[in-house]
Amino acid sequence: DVQLQASGGGVVQTGGSLRLSCAASGFTFDDFAVGWFRQAPGKEREGVSCFSYSDGSTYVLDSGKGRFTISSDSGKNTAFLQMISLKPEDTAVYYCAALYGLGDCRTRMRWVRAWGQGTLVTVSS
């Protein structure tokens, strides 16, 4: 059974940092690409970042470039989203997901095999 569990959210001040973790069970990242998404209050869910071991593709949304870094552990079953220089507009519930399908990981963000539960990130001004 493909499952993911996200953690690491919290409350930080503007300019602060957080590292989100996503623990996978029932699969490794050789099987599926991994993506991070977020949903802010009153807004649609958007793709934040992803990576794929199968083709080496990575993606970070424009507003996160230079601030967000996606990575995984050597066991390929825990993914991380390191976020620095956080801004109030980064406030959202963050979700990790296992991605399937063809193409680079950004393309595969359209097809989610399984979602982790969300973890809330609040950036205070």
Side-chain angles (χ1 to χ4, degrees):
D1 191 20
V2 175
Q3 295 184 345
L4 305 99
Q5 184 163 353
S7 61
V11 180
V12 296
Q13 293 185 332
T14 297
S17 300
L18 281 174
R19 188 175 81 155
L20 306 183
S21 299
C22 176
S25 60
F27 73 103
T28 71
F29 303 145
D30 283 328
D31 303 314
F32 298 102
V34 176
W36 286 96
F37 298 78
R38 68 185 181 186
Q39 187 165 21
K43 296 187 177 180
E44 293 188 354
R45 190 174 297 187
E46 65 175 344
V48 174
S49 186
C50 65
F51 74 85
S52 170
Y53 276 113
S54 65
D55 66 358
S57 60
T58 62
Y59 164 76
V60 176
L61 80 172
D62 287 346
S63 65
K65 289 181 179 176
R67 301 190 299 124
F68 296 175
T69 304
I70 191 169
S71 63
S72 74
D73 67 340
S74 59
K76 300 181 180 180
N77 56 16
T78 303
F80 305 99
L81 183 68
Q82 178 70 50
M83 305 186 292
I84 65 171
S85 303
L86 284 162
K87 306 174 181 180
E89 51 264 44
D90 295 318
T91 294
V93 178
Y94 284 70
Y95 302 86
C96 59
L99 313 173
Y100 69 101
L102 300 177
D104 62 22
C105 72
R106 185 180 183 186
T107 300
R108 282 187 265 174
M109 292 183 93
R110 306 173 190 174
W111 303 294
V112 174
R113 173 63 177 81
W115 290 99
Q117 90 289 359
T119 185
L120 177 62
V121 172
T122 303
V123 185
S124 61
S125 57

